[in-house]
């Protein structure tokens, strides 16, 4: 059996607020399906959904998104303007550049060079 990813779901405290951050970052219109479930269908990307859960984030994500956005430093600056926070500085290694960030609820993601 071969499965296809239909959406990536983030547990969160405030789906309506978090979907607006991610819609601004990825493109697409935020959709509030219910008070406990919101999503965005970014062009060229799998649906990203947000589900309210009662418990808060207690540890580092076991999964994160790596995003390409052109120049890593410029893309990270735009994400910060939208409400993200940086985790350290831009890192350059043999594979390219990357910047670790957190969304407004603390979920980690990265901007990476191609």
């Amino acid at each position: 059996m071969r499965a296809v990813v239909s959406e990536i779901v983030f547990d969160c405290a405030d789906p309506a607020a978090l979907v607006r951050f991610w819609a601004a970052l990825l493109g697409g219109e935020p959709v509030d399906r219910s008070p406990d479930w919101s999503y965005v269908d970014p062009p060229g990307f799998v649906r990203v959904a947000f589900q309210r859960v009662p418990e808060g984030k207690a540890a580092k994500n076991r999964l994160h998104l790596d995003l390409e956005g052109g120049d890593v430093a410029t893309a990270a600056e735009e994400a910060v303007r939208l409400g993200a926070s940086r985790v350290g500085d831009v890192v350059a290694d043999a594979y390219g550049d990357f910047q670790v960030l957190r969304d407004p609820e603390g979920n980690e993601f990265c901007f990476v060079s191609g």
Side-chain angles (χ1 to χ4, degrees), residues 90-98:
V90 174
V91 175
D93 64 16
Y95 301 101
D97 298 344
F98 68 92

Side-chain angles (χ1 to χ4, degrees), residues 7 9-10 21 29-30 36 44 47 52 54 60 71-74 76-78 85-87 92 102 108 110:
E7 62 189 6
V9 181
F10 286 88
F21 166 81
E29 292 298 318
D36 296 326
R47 174 181 285 175
R52 185 182 317 274
K60 185 179 182 327
D71 177 69
V72 170
T74 302
E77 186 59 38
E78 175 66 10
S85 57
R86 294 177 192 271
V87 178
R102 288 191 183 104
E108 293 91 359
C110 296

Side-chain angles (χ1 to χ4, degrees), residues 57-111:
K57 185 175 180 326
K60 185 179 182 327
N61 296 32
R62 297 291 302 261
L63 173 77
H64 71 266
L65 301 179
D66 281 354
L67 308 173
E68 289 185 24
D71 177 69
V72 170
T74 302
E77 186 59 38
E78 175 66 10
V80 168
R81 189 186 67 72
L82 294 170
S85 57
R86 294 177 192 271
V87 178
D89 296 322
V90 174
V91 175
D93 64 16
Y95 301 101
D97 298 344
F98 68 92
Q99 169 74 64
V100 179
L101 299 113
R102 288 191 183 104
D103 73 13
E105 287 205 17
N107 300 300
E108 293 91 359
F109 67 99
C110 296
F111 273 109

Side-chain angles (χ1 to χ4, degrees), residues 14-73:
D14 188 351
L18 203 52
V19 75
R20 279 154 183 71
F21 166 81
W22 282 96
L25 190 66
L26 298 174
E29 292 298 318
V31 176
D32 296 318
R33 193 171 82 186
S34 78
D36 296 326
W37 188 269
S38 298
Y39 67 88
V40 61
D41 282 315
F45 199 75
V46 67
R47 174 181 285 175
V48 181
F50 306 91
Q51 178 178 11
R52 185 182 317 274
V53 296
E55 63 276 355
K57 185 175 180 326
K60 185 179 182 327
N61 296 32
R62 297 291 302 261
L63 173 77
H64 71 266
L65 301 179
D66 281 354
L67 308 173
E68 289 185 24
D71 177 69
V72 170

